[in-house]
Amino acid sequence: MLKLGVNIDHVATLREARYRGRERGEPDPVEAALICEAAGAHGITAHLREDRRHIQDRDVWKLREVIKTRLNLEMANTPEIVAIALKLEPGIVCLVPERRQEITTEGGLDVARQWLALRDTRQRLNDAGIDVSLFIAPDPVQVEAAARVGSQFVELHTGAFAEHFNRKRERQEELDRLLAAAQQAHAAGLRVNAGHGLNYQNLGVLFQVPHLVELNIGHSIISRSITVGLATAVREMLVLLEAYLA
Ligand code: PXP
């Protein structure tokens, strides 16, 4: 079955809007993670940014301690954050761009330009028993570079697909790019995740993309939780995921 990783960054964003610099405050992303797990989510995703704009260090340590599924730590390839990841030992790390020069025009990590540095970090994380994913645009150059880096996963950036969802021709173009990238990655031995901008409306169309292992979804689930509650929002998404045939 296609897996769901719930990105809880937005819970921390709301907390920081009121309690920045304080040791506690609501809503608590760790409590949210436990509700997501209890509702059936297969994993929890959190991005420890260099600027700590939402998730804080204490959040990732607590998540590591209490969640029973797997923690997907999104992070930039910087010495400080890599050192934290090596100590934290999340189940998987997804390397993402945080600075302009690391980003391709489509918003994914520019693996082709940084592949030596990424290969080195991938090796160190793998040596510590941590799987590695690279967040990339559905671009053949980036998929090929990811295979050279030797990561276990790629996460295909679905932002452009989501952005163009209401324009039929552009949506089809983005879908075709995702389809080709998933096939290329699978053929190269990479496992394929996807995320960014996915919601209750656009998933059905995305399901034409083959070989998907896991989707990482944040904004739409956390937004829906305001009206129906977090457990229901997660369960509704899981019901949609059941329609995916790999
Ligand atoms: N995947 C990655 C790599 C992300 O950085 C994010 C958050 O931007 C997501 C998935 C989730 O995106 P969204 O909040 O739009 O669902």
Side-chain angles (χ1 to χ4, degrees):
M1 185 198 161
L2 181 57
K3 292 184 181 161
L4 174 65
V6 181
N7 182 316
I8 54 162
D9 294 348
H10 291 301
V11 179
T13 299
L14 186 55
R15 177 192 62 195
E16 296 301 302
R18 172 63 62 97
Y19 295 103
R20 180 154 248 347
R22 311 260 281 274
E23 276 307 300
R24 60 185 68 241
E26 84 275 336
D28 178 9
V30 179
E31 196 183 336
L34 291 174
I35 292 169
C36 293
E37 277 196 328
H42 304 95
I44 301 299
T45 298
H47 185 174
L48 185 67
R49 293 184 60 98
E50 285 182 273
D51 63 11
R52 308 300 200 271
R53 78 169 64 147
H54 39 55
I55 293 289
Q56 305 297 309
D57 296 58
R58 67 177 189 278
D59 296 324
V60 294
W61 286 102
K62 192 72 189 169
L63 286 168
R64 178 73 176 83
E65 187 189 324
V66 302
I67 68 171
K68 299 205 166 43
T69 53
R70 67 105 194 85
L71 176 61
N72 171 21
L73 183 69
E74 285 180 6
M75 52 177 257
N77 183 23
T78 65
E80 185 217 356
I81 306 285
V82 171
I84 291 172
L86 288 169
K87 279 202 208 110
L88 183 71
E89 297 183 353
I92 179 167
V93 155
C94 181
L95 293 169
V96 300
E98 283 185 20
R99 302 205 174 120
R100 281 258 42 105
Q101 65 268 29
E102 302 166 337
I103 302 178
T104 61
T105 45
E106 299 106 304
L109 197 56
D110 195 345
V111 183
R113 256 184 54 192
Q114 308 164 59
W115 82 273
L116 275 172
L118 290 167
R119 189 187 60 178
D120 179 54
T121 297
R122 191 277 301 158
Q123 186 69 59
R124 291 173 67 204
L125 291 165
N126 281 171
D127 288 347
I130 305 164
D131 277 346
V132 174
S133 179
L134 302 173
F135 184 50
I136 58 169
D139 170 345
V141 173
Q142 300 301 332
V143 176
E144 187 276 326
R148 262 189 293 139
V149 166
S151 64
Q152 286 68 50
F153 290 83
V154 284
E155 179 169 328
L156 297 178
H157 194 321
T158 48
F161 163 75
E163 202 57 42
H164 294 114
F165 190 70
N166 293 319
R167 287 190 290 276
K168 218 172 160 203
R169 191 173 55 81
E170 285 96 332
R171 172 171 97 187
Q172 190 56 48
E173 281 168 14
E174 292 304 331
L175 194 61
D176 289 345
R177 278 155 50 83
L178 287 163
L179 242 121
Q183 269 155 353
Q184 183 190 352
H186 180 74
L190 293 156
R191 307 192 78 206
V192 185
N193 297 336
H196 202 88
L198 298 178
N199 60 35
Y200 300 86
Q201 288 74 43
N202 62 24
L203 272 193
V205 176
L206 180 84
F207 285 174
Q208 293 172 45
V209 177
H211 309 304
L212 296 175
V213 175
E214 179 166 321
L215 303 179
N216 284 305
I217 306 181
H219 185 88
S220 62
I221 292 177
I222 303 305
S223 300
R224 183 142 178 80
S225 77
I226 292 173
T227 43
V228 302
L230 186 52
T232 301
V234 170
R235 274 191 224 110
E236 286 178 355
M237 195 59 90
L238 285 166
V239 168
L240 294 181
L241 263 58
E242 280 172 21
Y244 183 72
L245 305 168

